Amino acid sequence: MIKLRKLTFIISVFLCFGQIGLYSQSADFSKASVSINYSNKTIYYPGNNEESPINVHITIKNEGVETLRFKLADDRNFSVDFKVFTTKGNMLENTMNLIEKRTSSRVVYFREIALEQGEEYSFIENVKDYVKIDEPSVYYLSMDFYPELYKSKYVSITSNRLTLEIRPSPSAASSKILPVEHSTVEILMPKDISPDKVVEQTIIARQKSLWDQYFLYMDIESLLQRNPSMKKRYASVSADERERMVQNFKADLMQSRIENDIIAVPERFEIERTSYTPSEGTVVVIEWFKYPNFSEKKRYTYKIRQHDGIWQIYDYTVVNLGTE
């Protein structure tokens, strides 16, 4: 009789655990949404996650009418997963610290969060705690949230996607930075300078392969729309897709895949004339390009206009003037 009672108790325990498992698998998270945005967005650099963090504001919201319940680990590494992709679709590797945590045997402490209709729960995480970002480039960032924790990856909620631009570290480029200010983040802020200086600094930045400074006075959206098919597509897509198009355009410029005239590197140049009204103008520049057996001479006409008090290059034309 005693043995029978023990057996009944054991069966009851297993049934209890079985019911918990079934509850977890049948929990409905279809009305839960997860969104990410940059927290205090700044200029991001590769390398150390503490000195140069990429902090992202994460929001979980109950879009349904029923109470939404989910687990949230005290160590968020067991609740969220960031994914960073290159423009070619290659995913960057996780940090070694994250891999070690998830592959070792440890107790994961968590609490259950309950959200009523329309309620939200938010927190901030550093992407660099999850993903190794060692190279400057343009990336795409998204996040997976695990409402039943990482070990139950069969259920997850995917966030929106953000464009992530990682710029070259100032320390690595400090010897090449234009003599505008000290090599701090301030160098990357456009200044209220004259149209001819805008063009001059842009050309010099290209000569020194300083892409961050090269794009500083460029109206990339307008340059992208010089192509009629791109212009048509740009006008028909969402704001997020437009941002992706802009970042892809910049990446293509950096890889010399498009717009070869605007990214050509002159050996020397001379500003021929500058004319402008309070809102628009042109800067005409003679540029020389050196090849093994000859030099090519071209006249560039840069079209500029004011945007929020800053002159920007939004269009250009090129005329070949022959060889020397």
Side-chain angles (χ1 to χ4, degrees):
M1 186 69 178
I2 295 174
K3 290 184 178 179
L4 180 59
R5 286 178 179 175
K6 286 184 177 178
L7 180 60
T8 303
F9 173 75
I10 292 170
I11 292 173
S12 298
V13 170
F14 276 103
L15 284 173
C16 179
F17 280 121
Q19 287 172 352
I20 291 173
L22 288 172
Y23 170 78
S24 297
Q25 291 181 30
S26 61
D28 182 13
F29 297 103
S30 62
K31 300 301 182 181
S33 68
V34 176
S35 61
I36 58 174
N37 286 289
Y38 293 113
S39 175
N40 298 322
K41 187 172 182 181
T42 183
I43 297 167
Y44 302 117
Y45 301 106
N48 190 288
N49 64 333
E50 294 180 359
E51 295 179 1
S52 180
I54 302 173
N55 290 324
V56 168
H57 188 268
I58 302 161
T59 300
I60 303 161
K61 184 177 181 180
N62 182 2
E63 305 279 4
V65 296
E66 303 294 332
T67 301
L68 172 68
R69 290 185 171 85
F70 58 87
K71 297 180 177 71
L72 186 66
D74 292 348
D75 183 344
R76 303 287 195 257
N77 286 178
F78 294 94
S79 281
V80 303
D81 216 359
F82 286 100
K83 295 180 179 178
V84 179
F85 294 89
T86 67
T87 55
K88 293 183 179 180
N90 299 318
M91 189 167 71
L92 300 191
E93 297 178 356
N94 290 130
T95 63
M96 187 56 65
N97 184 54
L98 181 68
I99 294 172
E100 289 176 353
K101 279 186 180 181
R102 290 177 174 175
T103 54
S104 62
S105 298
R106 64 173 64 198
V107 177
V108 178
Y109 296 97
F110 66 92
R111 52 186 172 137
E112 186 177 81
I113 306 292
L115 299 180
E116 299 302 326
Q117 181 181 9
E119 289 185 339
E120 300 177 346
Y121 185 88
S122 298
F123 53 94
I124 293 174
E125 285 294 290
N126 179 7
V127 176
K128 289 187 178 180
D129 288 337
Y130 296 78
V131 181
K132 292 194 299 183
I133 305 177
D134 297 326
E135 299 294 333
S137 188
V138 176
Y139 300 99
Y140 298 125
L141 168 68
S142 65
M143 191 202 79
D144 287 335
F145 174 67
Y146 304 116
E148 294 292 341
L149 305 184
Y150 177 75
K151 292 185 181 297
S152 300
K153 291 189 294 181
Y154 55 82
V155 57
S156 65
I157 307 168
T158 301
S159 75
N160 56 305
R161 189 166 73 162
L162 301 176
T163 300
L164 173 61
E165 183 176 1
I166 304 296
R167 299 196 175 186
S169 173
S171 60
S174 59
S175 63
K176 296 182 180 179
I177 287 178
L178 297 178
V180 179
E181 287 190 25
H182 298 293
S183 51
T184 65
V185 174
E186 294 295 325
I187 190 71
L188 299 174
M189 300 300 294
K191 306 296 182 182
D192 180 10
I193 57 178
S194 62
D196 57 326
K197 286 296 182 183
V198 164
V199 172
E200 178 184 29
Q201 289 198 17
T202 300
I203 296 173
I204 292 174
R206 182 65 192 99
Q207 288 176 321
K208 296 185 176 183
S209 297
L210 300 176
W211 289 106
D212 53 351
Q213 295 179 42
Y214 175 75
F215 290 126
L216 202 57
Y217 296 99
M218 288 283 197
D219 183 348
I220 298 296
E221 291 89 343
S222 295
L223 291 172
L224 179 153
Q225 293 180 79
R226 294 175 78 247
N227 182 314
S229 62
M230 294 287 280
K231 182 176 182 178
K232 183 178 180 180
R233 182 186 168 198
Y234 189 83
S236 65
V237 298
S238 66
D240 285 345
E241 182 59 28
R242 287 183 179 183
E243 177 63 20
R244 283 193 285 273
M245 288 180 67
V246 168
Q247 296 305 328
N248 285 337
F249 184 78
K250 290 172 70 173
D252 286 341
L253 285 174
M254 294 169 69
Q255 297 296 321
S256 301
R257 290 192 288 259
I258 57 173
E259 298 285 342
N260 290 329
D261 283 327
I262 194 67
I263 59 169
V265 183
E267 180 191 27
R268 59 190 176 93
F269 67 94
E270 179 181 302
I271 295 178
E272 190 174 48
R273 66 179 180 273
T274 303
S275 60
Y276 57 96
T277 67
S279 59
E280 290 204 31
T282 59
V283 179
V284 181
V285 184
I286 304 298
E287 302 184 25
W288 288 265
F289 300 86
K290 188 174 179 58
Y291 297 95
N293 299 317
F294 64 95
S295 289
E296 193 173 30
K297 184 178 178 182
K298 297 182 179 182
R299 175 178 285 112
Y300 279 71
T301 300
Y302 296 93
K303 297 182 180 181
I304 56 174
R305 63 187 170 201
Q306 284 262 18
H307 180 72
D308 293 335
I310 302 297
W311 289 103
Q312 291 183 322
I313 299 169
Y314 72 92
D315 200 357
Y316 68 96
T317 59
V318 184
V319 176
N320 290 321
L321 299 178
T323 58
E324 295 182 348

